[in-house]
Amino acid sequence: MQPLVMKLNGQDVTLQIDPSTMLVDVLRDELHLTGTKVGCNEGECGACTVLVDGLAVDSCLFPALKADHREVNTIEGLTSDDELHPLQQTFIEVGAVQCGFCTPGMIMAAKALLDENPSPDEDEIKRAISGTLCRCTGYTKIVAAVRAAAGKGGK
Ligand code: FES
Ligand code: FES
């Protein structure tokens, strides 16, 4: 076992982990943050997307120890004082959520984009979410939701 220290959704977290553990398993199994989903477990679907130092990563392929002494943000960290993040609001308003399985990863990928580029054009949005697959809505409404969040200043 080895220590892992992270700033997770703004809170300092320290735990002991098996060094071979992937970040998604630490988040879901050790810390019970099950908002981050596991689809393929092979880096193909983006359901497990979280931010490490602001960059979107597939947490199913990201060794947890690589997050040591870094900032990790998950979908759970977006809601503050019970208020939804603008991206969460616009996904609901625009109808960009159906089964919801892809939604946490999609929103985290979009957040990484808006943090870096608050006014992305459609191509930039499509590129940013291209690693995240949605089997339900198609992408038109998802892109519209990200645009609407950008319009609200939603990073
Ligand atoms: S579960 Fe990580 S990319 Fe599919
Ligand atoms: S809403 Fe079902 S996979 Fe995207």
Side-chain angles (χ1 to χ4, degrees), residues 37-48 58 60:
K37 303 303 180 205
V38 179
C40 64
N41 223 4
E42 295 180 349
E44 298 291 337
C45 74
C48 63
D58 290 330
C60 70

Side-chain angles (χ1 to χ4, degrees), residues 23-51:
L23 182 57
V24 72
D25 298 319
V26 169
L27 294 171
R28 289 178 54 87
D29 299 342
E30 307 290 331
L31 299 168
H32 309 296
L33 294 177
T34 54
T36 302
K37 303 303 180 205
V38 179
C40 64
N41 223 4
E42 295 180 349
E44 298 291 337
C45 74
C48 63
T49 302
V50 302
L51 306 190

Side-chain angles (χ1 to χ4, degrees), residues 96-103 106 133-138 142:
V97 181
Q98 283 191 26
C99 80
F101 193 80
C102 72
T103 309
M106 207 59 96
L133 305 181
C134 177
R135 291 164 191 79
C136 303
T137 63
I142 291 171

Side-chain angles (χ1 to χ4, degrees), residues 76-87:
E76 287 87 351
L78 290 198
T79 308
S80 62
D81 297 332
D82 287 338
E83 229 177 82
L84 292 179
H85 185 277
L87 277 164

Side-chain angles (χ1 to χ4, degrees), residues 126-146:
K126 285 182 180 164
R127 239 189 337 271
I129 62 167
S130 62
T132 309
L133 305 181
C134 177
R135 291 164 191 79
C136 303
T137 63
Y139 296 92
T140 307
K141 289 187 172 180
I142 291 171
V143 171
V146 178

